[in-house]
Amino acid sequence: MFATHGGAGVIERDNLSEEQDAAIRAALSHALGTGSAVLAEGGTSIDAVEATIRELEDDPHFNAGRGAVFTYEGNIEHDASIMDGATRAAGAVTGTTTVRHPVSLARRVMENSPHVFLRGLGAEQFATEQGVARVENSWFETDFRRRALEEMRAREAEGQSAYDVDLKYGTVGAVALDTHGNVAAATSTGGLTGKRWGRIGDSPIIGAGTYADNRGCAVSATGAGEYFIRVGVAHEICAQIRMAAQEVSVSDPAAIPSDADIQQIANGVINEMAALGGSGGVIVTTPWGHTVYSFDTVADSSTKELRSP
Ligand code: ASP
């Protein structure tokens, strides 16, 4: 089982040219194929989610790696995280500026350091020690995202809200269940257009934007990060599924939660996040083979999730 997303549904079809729409769909579909192929060959869920995210990080259509949004100061700063449901090992990085594949650096943090979360210059130093691919910060730039920053600044100058939800679509995420029965999740983003003061969203925060636990599920989120952090969305969904699984197996040890149960749990947590004022969504896969998504944003979005059996 494999699912990937290309951000919350905040870009409506009307705002995209047909070419952009087709390119985004093709890229997601190709990346889905990449992750699915890893699984089909007996590869691990961690390898599958990393391979998919790496591909999307190189694609300028998404707010991750190349094509990520600009900070207020006009730089690009990446956030990424990855988690292995078999061991609950996790790695995350925030504020990297020259790492071509932040998701792979997050994996190195998970596997080659005693830590879970590295930031900024320290993360860059670790990247050097690990010998991961580096590029100039300008390599990540796109005209489209530069215009988005200028528009944000213009709105701010007019006294309007600077953080329009439309300015931050395109975070990428993936969840997978492999043939060994292990789930994994990964998420990568540039965050919000015009972010400042060292703002960090949910994407690199284990438990908020990403979580994986073989006893419950794997989750990757996208949307208004502040709200996902406050609800602890990814962990909350996994914990509720874990408890639901325990409950159904009491009378029948072979019983598993139904698709409807899983969907209801995901919707419930997304509704809770939305009730606080946020918006966005999640993709979820369980060790029992359920794959669901729950988004409170535009259902017909071009960037909605793709999944494969
Ligand atoms: N969740 C990301 C953040 O708040 C943005 C997004 O998913 O669009 O940084």
Side-chain angles (χ1 to χ4, degrees):
M1 293 294 241
F2 194 82
T4 187
H5 71 73
V10 290
I11 283 273
E12 293 178 52
R13 284 263 183 77
D14 295 352
N15 296 338
L16 283 178
S17 69
E18 263 178 43
E19 293 77 43
Q20 282 171 311
D21 185 85
I24 289 169
R25 283 172 187 279
L28 277 174
S29 163
H30 194 275
L32 182 76
T34 299
S36 303
V38 171
L39 297 178
E41 285 156 20
T44 64
S45 50
I46 272 283
D47 281 342
V49 294
E50 184 190 3
T52 288
I53 299 296
R54 282 174 67 92
E55 191 172 309
L56 294 171
E57 283 176 340
D58 269 352
D59 189 312
H61 290 100
F62 299 96
N63 176 16
R66 190 173 214 178
V69 299
F70 284 88
T71 65
Y72 196 81
E73 292 77 22
N75 301 315
I76 292 177
E77 294 180 4
H78 297 114
D79 297 335
S81 60
I82 192 163
M83 186 160 182
D84 183 346
T87 56
R88 276 178 286 155
V93 292
T94 183
T96 60
T97 54
T98 65
V99 176
R100 179 167 168 181
H101 292 294
V103 72
S104 295
L105 185 63
R107 184 167 179 183
R108 300 287 184 115
V109 173
M110 175 173 87
E111 291 177 347
N112 298 347
S113 90
H115 306 302
V116 168
F117 200 3
L118 301 184
R119 75 175 155 93
L121 287 179
E124 294 277 328
Q125 198 181 336
F126 180 68
T128 303
E129 285 175 24
Q130 292 291 311
V132 301
R134 310 291 278 282
V135 289
E136 293 290 321
N137 194 248
S138 57
W139 185 81
F140 299 113
E141 292 182 8
T142 52
D143 292 344
F144 170 65
R145 300 295 187 183
R146 170 104 37 212
R147 276 200 304 280
L149 177 64
E150 280 157 14
E151 283 163 20
M152 187 222 109
R153 283 186 170 151
R155 275 214 309 279
E156 189 188 43
E158 284 167 15
Q160 294 175 30
S161 166
Y163 295 117
D164 189 315
V165 75
D166 288 340
L167 288 179
K168 59 169 187 52
Y169 86 94
T171 290
V172 298
V175 291
L177 165 64
D178 62 30
T179 51
H180 318 284
N182 297 320
V183 294
T187 311
S188 184
T189 189
L192 292 185
T193 296
K195 66 183 182 181
R196 64 198 299 201
W197 307 306
R199 181 263 183 193
I200 303 168
D202 61 315
S203 308
I205 297 181
I206 298 299
T210 301
Y211 203 74
D213 179 353
N214 272 3
R215 301 170 303 171
C217 66
V219 177
S220 171
T222 176
E226 281 69 11
Y227 297 90
F228 283 74
I229 295 171
R230 287 166 61 192
V231 173
V233 165
H235 183 270
E236 178 71 18
I237 291 173
C238 285
Q240 289 193 22
I241 293 177
R242 171 163 53 86
M243 289 186 280
Q246 276 164 5
E247 211 165 290
V248 296
S249 67
V250 169
S251 46
D252 173 2
I256 58 166
S258 67
D259 282 335
D261 292 337
I262 304 293
Q263 188 69 60
Q264 202 182 350
I265 288 170
N267 290 351
V269 177
I270 290 301
N271 288 343
E272 190 189 328
M273 178 278 305
L276 294 181
S279 66
V282 286
I283 51 174
V284 180
T285 195
T286 75
W288 308 284
H290 311 87
T291 299
V292 305
Y293 71 98
S294 179
F295 280 80
D296 82 321
T297 40
V298 192
D300 194 27
S301 157
S302 293
T303 55
K304 76 179 183 190
E305 110 300 357
L306 286 168
R307 59 184 136 173
S308 76

